[in-house]
């Protein structure tokens, strides 16, 4: 499917090729009305222009909703990161996109790119402003600090408050115990919120009295799976979504809730920590039942807010404060503006209004 231009963008679709390495890549800068386009570099063998454009547009809304002065963009490098010379590909890509960085594009990590690749981009382009998610030794605020999980925790508290739930009486189930799931649980348990189930690729561990965070972390590190946790029942990974809990946090894979299991969801609040844990149609089924769905780009924006803090040179402490302020304010705004329980429509509307406002102020469109 060809990329369709509309009132928002994309402003630039830049295909690049390097004769020496055979590297092919694409950078899509969707909309820069609010600031330079910001989005990660995806390094996979089947990446294409259309996929990168869809992701760039999603970043336009995510950054606007997060209320950071960045537009939307995304990049893709085609290649199997296990077989090609990854550093040579990264350097070649950085050289080719250099004329646009950081004025129109700022890189970040995505699938198969990490703090190491972000350091290479900054090195090749010649400024730390070229990328975020860099190692802390060169002034970065890496994802490993847990900003996304912290933001998911903040968003969960706002959701519980909105439904007048007593946080010390609620139970929570979390899918995934990677970067996002681990930090979400850490902050929930620090607040004495009862996390009763956690899953990974091997299955779910469940104890209705609650799981101990330190013990679970130790089990995952030593045994490689949460299912080796001693004090709990082991269920399948899919069973997690059916549990009788107050809050369900899908935090690992896409499309885990779908037409076949959506009616089994018993949780009253679903906080989308992962990207696209379900399609909009499935979300609507839950919304029609009166459940509160906090959409992915509202709940998991802690990472992009942290990127902005890194770019501005803020400290780790300042970053956590800003993540909390922005996630709490934006989640509350979305819930307050929601009509007919459609939180995604409200969030998208707020993001669009912010982008349109910036475009009008720049004189890119008339009022
Ligand atoms: P990660 O690779 O650190 O962890 C993924 C986790 O998913 C692992 O614990 C893995 O065991 C688990 N998993 C794999 N298969 C599973 C299964 N069948 N059932 C249950 N768990 C399974 O990834 P992450 O950084 O935590 O990202 C998770 C999701 O959050 C992704 O959708 C990602 O796009 C999204 N996200 C991440 C960030 C971030 O800052 N890390 C920011 C925004 C969105």
């Amino acid at each position: 499917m060809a990329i369709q231009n509309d009132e928002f963008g994309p402003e630039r679709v830049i295909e690049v090729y390097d004769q020496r390495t055979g590297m092919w890549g694409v950078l899509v800068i969707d909309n820069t009305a609010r600031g330079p386009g910001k989005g990660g570099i995806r390094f996979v063998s089947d990446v294409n222009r259309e996929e990168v454009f869809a992701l760039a547009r999603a970043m336009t809304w995510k950054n606007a909703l997060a209320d950071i002065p960045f537009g939307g963009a995304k990049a893709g490098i085609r290649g199997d990161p296990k077989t090609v010379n990854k550093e040579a590909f990264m350097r070649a890509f950085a050289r080719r996109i250099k004329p646009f960085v950081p004025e129109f594009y700022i890189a970040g990590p995505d699938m198969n790119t990490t703090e190491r690749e972000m350091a290479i981009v900054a090195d090749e382009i010649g400024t730390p402003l070229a990328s975020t998610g860099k190692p802390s030794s060169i002034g970065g605020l890496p994802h490993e600090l847990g900003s996304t999980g912290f933001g998911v925790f903040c968003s969960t508290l706002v959701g519980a408050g909105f439904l007048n739930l007593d946080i010390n009486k609620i139970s929570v189930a979390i899918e995934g115990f990677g970067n996002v799931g681990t930090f979400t649980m850490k902050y929930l348990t620090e607040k004495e919120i009862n996390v009763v189930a956690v899953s990974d690729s091997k299955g779910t561990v469940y104890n209705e009295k609650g799981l101990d965070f330190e013990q679970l972390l130790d089990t995952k590190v030593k045994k490689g799976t949460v299912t080796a946790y001693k004090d709990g029942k082991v269920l399948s990974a899919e069973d997690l979504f059916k549990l009788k809990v107050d809050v369900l946090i899908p935090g690992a894979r896409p499309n885990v809730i779908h037409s076949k299991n959506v009616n089994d969801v018993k949780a009253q609040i679903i906080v989308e920590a992962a990207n696209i844990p379900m399609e909009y149609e499935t979300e609507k089924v839950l919304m029609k039942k009166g459940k509160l769905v906090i959409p992915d780009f509202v709940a998991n924006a802690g990472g992009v807010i942290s990127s902005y803090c890194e770019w501005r040179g803020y400290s780790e402490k300042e970053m956590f404060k800003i993540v909390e302020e922005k996630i709490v304010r934006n989640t509350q705004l979305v819930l307050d503006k929601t009509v007919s329980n459609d939180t995604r429509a409200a969030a998208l509307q707020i993001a669009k209004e912010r982008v349109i406002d910036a475009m009008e102020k720049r004189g890119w469109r008339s009022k």
Side-chain angles (χ1 to χ4, degrees):
M1 211 178 61
I3 295 172
Q4 292 284 329
N5 288 104
D6 62 18
E7 60 186 313
F8 296 106
E11 293 171 16
R12 290 181 167 88
V13 180
I14 305 142
E15 264 186 48
V16 295
Y17 177 67
D18 178 65
Q19 299 87 338
R20 277 172 292 186
T21 54
M23 181 282 308
W24 179 92
V26 59
L27 168 63
V28 179
I29 300 169
D30 182 46
N31 185 297
T32 60
R34 289 178 53 87
K38 180 87 186 77
I41 303 179
R42 177 164 288 206
F43 198 138
V44 287
S45 21
D46 59 352
V47 72
N48 61 51
R49 289 159 46 104
E50 288 70 31
E51 175 191 357
V52 174
F53 164 61
L55 294 164
R57 177 58 55 88
M59 289 309 297
T60 300
W61 307 141
K62 184 170 187 167
N63 291 335
L65 189 78
D67 208 10
I68 50 179
F70 287 146
K74 198 87 183 181
I77 298 176
R78 194 178 284 165
D80 177 353
K82 290 202 182 81
T83 56
V84 303
N85 182 336
K86 201 171 173 187
E87 179 171 343
F89 268 45
M90 286 307 304
R91 288 197 184 275
F93 185 71
R95 277 196 303 276
R96 289 287 186 254
I97 64 168
K98 193 172 176 176
F100 306 97
V101 184
E103 193 180 354
F104 301 107
Y105 176 63
I106 301 160
D110 195 68
M111 285 165 77
N112 298 321
T113 57
T114 64
E115 56 174 43
R116 183 178 144 73
E117 283 68 41
M118 292 310 110
I120 288 169
V121 170
D123 182 62
E124 193 63 44
I125 295 196
T127 166
L129 296 179
S131 62
T132 64
K134 298 184 293 294
S136 43
S137 56
I138 58 168
L141 291 172
H143 276 182
E144 288 66 29
L145 292 173
S147 52
T148 302
F150 177 66
V152 171
F153 154 75
C154 296
S155 210
T156 304
L157 288 192
V158 175
F162 190 74
L163 295 186
N164 288 318
L165 302 182
D166 178 349
I167 57 162
N168 297 116
K169 291 195 180 135
I170 61 176
S171 56
V172 182
I174 304 172
E175 181 222 11
F177 204 55
N179 179 278
V180 174
T182 305
F183 282 100
T184 302
M185 180 174 179
K186 175 180 187 277
Y187 290 108
L188 287 169
T189 48
E190 273 176 16
K191 194 95 181 157
E192 293 180 7
I193 294 174
N194 206 18
V195 177
V196 296
V198 170
S199 66
D200 62 21
S201 57
K202 304 265 165 41
T204 300
V205 60
Y206 173 63
N207 182 337
E208 60 182 357
K209 292 205 184 83
L211 304 170
D212 181 85
F213 175 68
E214 294 299 336
Q215 209 183 314
L216 193 64
L217 194 61
D218 191 56
T219 307
K220 176 84 178 167
V221 171
K222 288 192 180 137
K223 305 262 170 75
T225 170
V226 295
T227 57
Y229 181 87
K230 282 209 174 67
D231 200 12
K233 220 185 326 177
V234 175
L235 310 170
S236 75
E238 285 66 38
D239 283 341
L240 178 113
F241 305 104
K242 305 176 188 168
L243 289 172
K244 199 167 174 304
V245 289
D246 300 296
V247 181
L248 173 63
I249 305 183
R253 296 161 306 140
N255 293 311
V256 285
I257 303 174
H258 39 73
S259 60
K260 293 207 174 74
N261 68 0
V262 62
N263 288 313
D264 297 327
V265 173
K266 297 177 188 70
Q268 186 57 25
I269 303 177
I270 299 91
V271 185
E272 299 184 344
N275 284 322
I276 327 179
M278 64 186 113
E279 299 287 341
Y280 187 29
E281 289 311 309
T282 307
E283 288 179 337
K284 283 200 227 165
V285 175
L286 295 171
M287 290 163 178
K288 284 212 176 89
K289 290 183 172 187
K291 296 186 187 293
L292 180 62
V293 179
I294 305 187
D296 47 7
F297 73 118
V298 180
N300 73 19
V304 292
I305 298 169
S306 167
S307 306
Y308 162 67
C309 294
E310 174 178 338
W311 198 67
R312 291 294 306 265
Y314 294 151
S315 68
E316 185 182 327
K317 197 169 160 212
E318 288 168 312
M319 177 273 282
F320 276 108
K321 190 164 165 278
I322 293 170
V323 168
E324 179 173 7
E325 278 169 12
K326 288 198 181 286
I327 294 273
V328 167
R329 193 172 341 115
N330 292 326
T331 307
Q332 192 64 52
L333 185 66
V334 168
L335 301 187
D336 290 343
K337 295 237 171 190
T338 292
V339 179
S340 309
N341 208 26
D342 191 340
T343 42
R344 182 168 293 274
L348 203 53
Q349 182 66 24
I350 295 165
K352 277 189 183 171
E353 281 168 8
R354 286 178 178 167
V355 174
I356 289 170
D357 179 64
M359 290 171 74
E360 284 173 356
K361 294 214 165 97
R362 283 177 182 269
W364 292 2
R365 55 184 278 160
S366 47
K367 286 202 180 197

